[in-house]
Every structure is written in structure tokens, then in C-alpha cells.
Amino acid sequence: MSITEQIRVQGLVQGVGFRPTVFRLAQALNINGEVYNDGKGVLIILQADKAVIQRFLQQLLSQCPPLARIDRIKRKQLKAKQRYEDFSIRHSHNSDIHTGIVADAATCPECLNDINSDSNRRHGYAFTNCTHCGPRLSIIKNIPYDRVNTSMAEFELCPACRQEYEDPANRRFHAQPNACPDCGPLLSLTDNQGKPVHCDNEISKTAQLVSRGYIVAIKGIGGFQLACDATREQTVINLRQRKHRPHKALALMAGSVEQVTDYCLVSDAEQEGLESPAAPIVILRQKPDGLSLSSHIAPGQNSLGFMLPYSPLHHLLMQQLDRPIVLTSGNIAEAPQCIDNQQAISHLGQVADFFLMHNRDIVNRVDDSVLRWVSNRKQIYRRARGFAPAPILLPDGLGGGTAILACGGELKNTFCLLRDGQATLSQHMGNLENTQTFSDYLKNLDLYQRLFQFAPAAIVVDKHPEYLSTKMGIQLAREKNLPLVEVQHHHAHVAACLAENLWSPNQGPVLGVVFDGLGWGDDGTIWGGEFLLADYQNFTRLARFKPVAMPGATQAILEPWRNCYAQLHTHCDWNELLHNYPQLELFDYLQQKPLETLNRMMNRHINSPLTSSCGRLFDAVAAAVGLCRDRISYEGQAAIELEALINSQVIADNNAYPFELEHNALLEINP
């Protein structure tokens, strides 16, 4: 007996081929009705036998489009006001936006077949995509997500692409970046002065240039990238010198997982990550007997960061190369990626020898995401392309009330929109002390509020008074007359960990162990090695690492030997150390430094703030064993290189390092 049922589907269900999937399943089951998008997701009206509707729902869950994510399905039986004669896809209904926007996605298998098929009209076309793949966040300007509101607006669909775009049975139905060689973006190749390089095929020529040892700037999905042959020692050295990046690891791209396994150990989970639609950089352990690459790709480390081709352009390029390439962000150290053609030639002309560009604008800068599997668990180190701005579901009872804008930290900034039990994180932006990055932050903040029609009812900032994000949040709260909430840095770390593990607010407090570099403490000192009894709203500080001075403050972060001496000066008797360990090269080294000056600074508390930071302890140990002793060239370098020396088997077979517990105002660990 036929009934009429309304089905509300919420999640990432727009711009991913969801309505065509509904259309196809309904037709196959002879169900009448309609489907359309609105501000809350997708609304489906079905008229059929109850058992048939149940079968439809089962198939919808099992055959969900690859980029879609169903968060909730709400069903309601209706009194039939009309009888449907067939099933149709209707135009979107405008209402307040409470649905997600999909992240940029790697080329799907069907589109890869298109560009590799000699008989396909998109053979060799670098901008092939469909509703299952292609650019999203990187090209969007406004809502609704229609072609006119993207950087594809200037490319008018040809008749063949228009037919695909309007056919509900086609996987390119309403694929906003849909294009072909007749109507879409085109490639161009220039030298580093912007002078065209004439050739029959820009990608083939680029592959030749890379093979011959040149550095080529390539305009990717979310920004320019710098590419070179990863096996050429001098070329990689040249790239580092020109980019002003002496030590920080460089990302790699390989043509296939099989090629990656020539150099690294790859687990099933890591392979799944490499091949996922997000196509992130995955940090992998080097094979002891693997093939060799330039020793300057990841100096002082035992891991490499590999990714696979994630756009047709990358696929077509890697198909013509028989070895991995370095593929790193197109910027000078500390600056954001270039996204504009003329800007790239101007800023990167001293770095790259050639430029492979195209005439589709990158609207929003989106860097590559970085993942690592630690103890068989996925850890996201940088959440950007492929992940942002997909919302993160929060535990029940969290984030369902007030719409909140959280402004984020300063060094690895992202901001967050909290509403409807979801946290929408921006893409990684980086260090806000960089003027261009801070401008990008403000631009993205405006974009996200427009895309999600988000009006915050409260502003949240880090308690550190000098963070630019904090200052901006305070100003915004004043201008809009909104409540301002200050959150302690390490409490935020614990709360984030609780949310990530779907810890319900009514499950009570946990012991949060927070080790990081630096964060502003409630007592006005610098924290970083903390034991907090905490839930989402409150915390009690139970214990900490014994505070140690940072002689020179910021200079101590840049020069690990300072932390090493400060730790020894605080915990030990210096003269006794010299007497007991006269043979240690470390002490010969330190005695060449201005130790009396450091002693006066620490004793008189001159530019030597106390910190309980575990990060500074890592720096001290690294310096003690001879790593990055004089100076680091990137944040966390000493700790990263120290970690690379660790033999996990030795640790498993032995006890932990001894330490003392001191009962002072707080319980303190003396390392």
C-alpha cells in the first residue's frame, strides 16, 4: 500500500552527486516523488510501498556518493497532498545555510580513465572533474555553490558539457567546475620572466625540464608548488638555498603506491590514506634498504612525506616521470603560498626556472594536508586540502546551542565555527605574525561566515594577550557587542582531545597530560608540561614540569644550547658536573658560551621567563646529544630530529627515564 514519506538527509550532501544518486535509485525501484537541496541539506519526498522505501534507504546508505557524508536521516510520514507521476530533481530552495561545503577532492577513477582514454574527448585534459572529484573550496567565492559563484564563471559551458551538466543520469550533473578542452581552463608554460615557452604539450615539456634538473613552479589546486627531481642532489640543494629553507623536510610526490614502497614502509592504513579522496601528504618510515633519494630532502630524519597525484595535471605529469619529485609549497620560507600568476612570477622568479600555469583563478589558498599513523592511529598534523571545510561532528550535548566563533592560536592558526553540534574548522593558515598570512586569515574569516551564513553570538579567544588572533577577537566582540570568552591554551588542548574522542560532557573530568611548546598560563607564566584534571568547562592544575628559565626568551627557542644550559643550571650543580664529567664534549662546548651573562639574566629574571614547557626540555636533550645545538631553522626541529633517533624496541624493553617528584606549591616533575 503506497504511502508518502519525507526524508531529510543532513551532512555533506550538496555538490557531491547526491541528488542524481537519489534519482537513479528511485527510478530503479519505480518510486515517484522529488528531491531538492535546501539550507539544511537534501529533502526527499517518496511515494511507494513502505517496504520499497525501506529498500531505497538501505541502498542510499550503501551506495552513497564517494564525497558525500550522511550525518543524520530524519523520516516523517506525510498526508499525501498530491500524487507524483514520476521522480524528478527540483531546483534548490533558498533558506538559511546549515549544511556543509565539500573539500577539494582528488581525481576519481572514472575521470582518470577519461584523461587516459585515447577515444575520450577529455584525453590528456588537465582540468577534468565530476561531482565525485575536483576543486571545491579553492574556487568558491560565495553561496549558493553554483558555477556563477566560482572562478569557473568566466568559462561558458560548450554544448557537450552543458548536456552533461543538465542530465540527472550523468555523473557531471551540476558539477560546477565541469569543463573540457573546448570550453575550460588552459595551461601555459613560461620562463621565470613570464616569457612563453613554445611547445606542443606543456605537461610533456615540464616533465622534460624536471628530468633535466630544473625547478618548475606548478599552479596546483590551492596554490603554486615547486617541483624538481628528488634524486638530483644539487637540484634539491639549489631549491633549499633559493627558497631559504635549509633543513625542514620537503614533501614528495610519487606516481603510485608501488613507487612509494621503493623508498618507504607502507601499511594498509597508510596506503588507504594515500589513495583517499583527500590525497594528503602521509609521513612514512624510510626503508633501511630502500632506493635512495637526495640526502637533503629530510635531513636528520628517518621518515619521508609522500603524496600521490591528486589532480589530472599531477597524474599527467607523473605518468611521464619514472621517479619521485619534490613538490613543496610555492613560497619563500614563512610566507604563504602564491596563488596568482603574476604574483608567483614576481615572488618566485628567483626560485623557479620555469612556470607551468593556467587561467583558472585560485580564489582560496589551500595547502596540502599532512597525516601520520602513530601506533596504528591516524594523526592529522595539518588539516587543509581534502579536509577543510568539512565539519567535525561533536559528541551529543556539545555545541548545540550558541553559535560561537573561536579565533584560534597564532603559530599554526585555524579558526572554528561552532553550531548545530558541529565544529567547522578553516584550512591551516600558519603563522599570523606574517602580514600576508594575517590578511589571508581575515579574508577566510569573512568567506566562511558568508558560505555558512554564520552570525556568531559569542567570540572565543586564547588567553595570550599578544596573539593577533586574540586581539582581533577582542576587537570583533567590542564592535558587535558580543560576549567574549578567554580560554586557557592547555585546557583547550584537553577539550579538543575530548571532542575528537567523542567524550560526552556528562562523562565527567579526565586527567589531561598536555606537553607542548608554549602557552599562556592562568598565573601569567608560560606553561607547556601540564597535568590537568579537566572537563569541557573547568580544569584544575595538578602537576607540572619544574619551571626552568628561558635565557633570552625567544632566542632560547631558536638556540637550543641555551635551554640545555638552563636545565643543567636549574637541576644540577654546574661545578659538580664539570668535576664529575670532565670528558664530556658538551661541557667544552658550553664553556665557550657567555655563561656568566646567562647566569646574571636568570638570577635577576632579566628576559628569562620561567616555563614548564616540555618542548624546551626536548630542545635541551637534543642539544645535549649534539642535535641542532647552535640554532634551529624551523619550529620544532630539535625535537623532530631527536625523535628520529629513538629506537622503539629499546624503549619497549627498558624502563622509563627516572625523575623526581617534588612537592612544592604544585606537584613538580624534576627531570
Side-chain angles (χ1 to χ4, degrees), residues 134-189:
R136 295 289 196 284
L137 176 63
S138 58
I139 62 170
I140 193 169
K141 298 177 181 178
N142 215 330
I143 55 167
Y145 175 59
D146 292 329
R147 193 179 181 95
V148 69
N149 289 323
T150 73
S151 57
M152 289 298 296
E154 64 184 88
F155 301 100
E156 186 176 348
L157 290 165
C158 67
C161 287
R162 170 68 62 184
Q163 185 177 10
E164 295 170 334
Y165 183 85
E166 295 176 349
D167 179 6
N170 195 291
R171 79 173 196 278
R172 294 191 168 95
F173 176 71
H174 282 203
Q176 306 306 338
N178 189 29
C180 74
D182 294 332
C183 65
L186 298 173
L187 293 169
S188 60
L189 184 64

Side-chain angles (χ1 to χ4, degrees), residues 280-283 368-372 379-384:
I281 298 167
V282 178
I283 299 175
D368 295 317
S369 294
V370 182
L371 270 64
R372 189 175 196 172
Q379 301 285 330
I380 299 180
Y381 283 7
R382 185 167 71 196
R383 190 176 185 273

Side-chain angles (χ1 to χ4, degrees), residues 320-362:
Q320 301 191 44
L321 293 166
D322 62 356
R323 64 197 67 180
I325 60 171
V326 170
L327 197 67
T328 187
S329 300
N331 61 351
I332 304 296
E334 301 305 322
Q337 268 183 300
C338 293
I339 59 174
D340 175 78
N341 291 357
Q342 290 307 311
Q343 176 204 45
I345 292 173
S346 172
H347 290 198
L348 300 176
Q350 301 300 311
V351 181
D353 303 302
F354 295 93
F355 287 77
L356 179 62
M357 301 183 288
H358 56 75
N359 58 341
R360 181 179 71 200
D361 288 342
I362 297 171

